[in-house]
Amino acid sequence: MIFQQLQDSTSSTYTYLLARRAGGEALIIDPVFEQVSLYVDLLEKLDLRLVKAIDTHIHADHITGLGALRDLTKCVTVMGERSGADVVSMRLREDEVVDVDGIKLRTLYTPGHTDDSYSFVMPDRVFTGDALLIGGTGRTDFQNGDPFQAYDSLFNKLLKLPSELLVYPAHDYRGNTASTLAYEAAHNPRLQVSSAEQYADIMNSLNLADPKMMDVAVPANQGVGKDLSKYLQPGEVVDAEELLREVEGGGVALLDLREKGERRRDGVIPGSLHCPYLDLEGALCNGDTLQNIQQRDKKRVVLYCAFGERSALALDTLRGYGFKDLRHLSGGLGAWLRAGGSVESPEGTN
Ligand SMILES: [Fe+2]
């Protein structure tokens, strides 16, 4: 496995790059905007295709690299379902798995530092975001932080994982790079408490200054996905109400770009075809599905995903391959449901 721990010294943030092998697919956790060109250089050097970029939570001390990486690589942006970011491409619930080339990370909801904090668990390590730091824990005094929730995340979730797991946090301010859950349980001063009340007393008496970047970083990070217009041309957007009317009239083919797990979890628009976003280019090279639908069936193809991000990126890619007359569903399945559209189980639909 390729594993790189990269540091942004200004914010003392750790960013992690993971891949199964050189020449394969890669994943980045907690990228920092100012370091994006470094990540891209590294990806090129290792001949890696970045397919997913994850933020463990909305950061207050730096601007995320998620949006810039998406723009440069068309990767899928990922956060937990509680995230307040406007458009992330994929939202994960507790216990769901992110799979990149066989590297599997299980989602663990670990709120308390913020209410959108998630950790990501592998068989030998855990990425704890700011929930658990080396010799410390994330502050709980802004972004809906809550010391009682943090206590629960620490003692009833993270410390219940196998104690030998390596701990890789989103920050370290003293030059530490990794720890283990066993070491933290025994030596982390914040974890030497006997009750949630005692933990809350400690956290509530810290009186820390706000992070310098907070007023800039939080709004920027909430707006990470805002501008999809650069991927779209006039006539390539359909809103959910309009699509509902068109579907009733026939003549529309829907192509779902989400992954299997999302389809099972949230259902599919009835009659949809399926091609996962990350397989789109391969699928086009191996077959002519879209061409058949457009030319043989004389149907107008509408691409959709969870929130409209992957479909906008895919449309831009497909246009580059010469496809014309495609549209994307603005706001994705979320907008479809809000407009009163129905869904069905994906079994047997393709
Ligand atoms: Fe944080």
Side-chain angles (χ1 to χ4, degrees):
M1 185 173 85
I2 293 169
F3 177 69
Q4 299 253 352
Q5 183 176 34
L6 307 157
Q7 190 181 31
D8 173 61
S9 52
T10 309
S11 62
S12 298
T13 301
Y14 280 135
T15 299
Y16 301 95
L17 173 73
L18 292 95
R20 172 71 61 204
R21 60 189 170 86
E25 297 181 337
L27 161 79
I28 277 185
I29 300 172
D30 286 330
V32 176
F33 178 77
E34 285 79 6
Q35 304 293 338
V36 161
S37 59
L38 181 135
Y39 310 145
V40 171
D41 286 349
L42 191 56
L43 290 162
E44 262 175 39
K45 201 169 93 188
L46 296 168
D47 190 23
L48 295 171
R49 176 192 178 204
L50 183 67
V51 295
K52 285 188 179 147
I54 300 178
D55 266 354
T56 51
H57 61 292
I58 289 189
H59 296 281
D61 57 354
H62 66 269
I63 294 179
T64 176
L66 239 55
L69 282 171
R70 178 203 66 187
D71 288 347
L72 287 165
T73 68
K74 290 190 172 171
C75 66
V76 176
T77 52
V78 182
M79 288 188 81
E81 66 172 340
R82 310 283 181 118
S83 168
D86 62 341
V87 181
V88 284
S89 201
M90 183 182 289
R91 287 171 194 260
L92 297 166
R93 289 184 192 164
E94 172 131 88
D95 223 23
E96 290 189 324
V97 172
V98 190
D99 184 340
V100 171
D101 211 3
I103 296 176
K104 291 183 168 53
L105 286 80
R106 187 169 62 81
T107 309
L108 193 64
Y109 181 43
T110 48
H113 167 57
T114 65
D115 62 353
D116 70 343
S117 290
Y118 289 77
S119 297
F120 293 90
V121 187
M122 288 175 65
D124 65 345
R125 66 194 70 195
V126 54
F127 300 97
T128 53
D130 293 357
L132 173 61
L133 306 173
I134 299 171
T137 54
R139 61 194 293 177
T140 57
D141 56 336
F142 55 65
Q143 287 180 280
N144 299 322
D146 179 333
F148 288 94
Q149 275 192 331
Y151 178 90
D152 186 56
S153 295
L154 290 163
F155 286 89
N156 296 324
K157 291 196 164 176
L158 288 166
L159 293 183
K160 290 281 193 297
L161 296 169
S163 63
E164 68 274 18
L165 288 196
L166 292 162
V167 172
Y168 284 106
H171 291 290
D172 191 88
Y173 305 94
R174 289 172 290 223
N176 302 303
T177 53
S179 182
T180 63
L181 286 174
Y183 188 88
E184 292 309 308
H187 300 289
N188 187 323
R190 295 262 177 89
L191 302 182
Q192 313 310 311
V193 292
S194 53
S195 68
E197 287 72 20
Q198 193 187 350
Y199 185 75
D201 284 346
I202 292 173
M203 299 310 286
N204 289 336
S205 58
L206 293 176
N207 292 322
L208 299 166
D210 283 349
K212 280 188 224 113
M213 288 278 291
M214 186 166 166
D215 292 341
V216 178
V218 172
N221 293 339
Q222 285 169 334
V224 64
K226 226 165 222 156
D227 188 14
L228 294 171
S229 63
K230 54 183 164 259
Y231 298 110
L232 300 162
Q233 293 185 355
E236 289 184 337
V237 181
V238 58
D239 68 32
E241 287 80 8
E242 200 181 335
L243 184 61
L244 270 166
R245 286 192 296 275
E246 290 185 15
V247 166
E248 275 175 31
V252 177
L254 292 150
L255 186 61
D256 183 2
L257 304 177
R258 294 169 303 150
E259 297 186 1
K260 272 187 195 162
E262 297 174 279
R263 285 160 57 80
R264 270 198 304 273
R265 184 187 72 192
D266 300 327
V268 305
I269 299 178
S272 303
L273 300 162
H274 179 218
C275 183
Y277 171 76
L278 292 170
D279 297 342
L280 198 56
E281 291 181 41
L284 286 169
C285 296
N286 299 333
D288 60 354
T289 316
L290 279 184
Q291 279 161 334
N292 272 344
I293 298 163
Q294 288 185 308
Q295 290 167 13
R296 182 192 61 209
D297 303 340
K298 303 268 185 285
K299 287 193 172 178
R300 281 200 79 187
V301 175
V302 174
L303 311 173
Y304 78 94
C305 57
F307 308 106
E309 186 179 73
R310 276 168 282 181
S311 54
L313 295 170
L315 202 150
D316 189 51
T317 301
L318 291 169
R319 194 188 318 103
Y321 281 105
F323 283 92
K324 293 192 178 103
D325 213 22
L326 297 171
R327 289 177 297 164
H328 102 118
L329 171 58
S330 175
L333 187 74
W336 173 262
L337 291 169
R338 284 194 298 279
S342 62
V343 289
E344 64 182 19
S345 154
E347 314 317 327
T349 56
N350 56 67

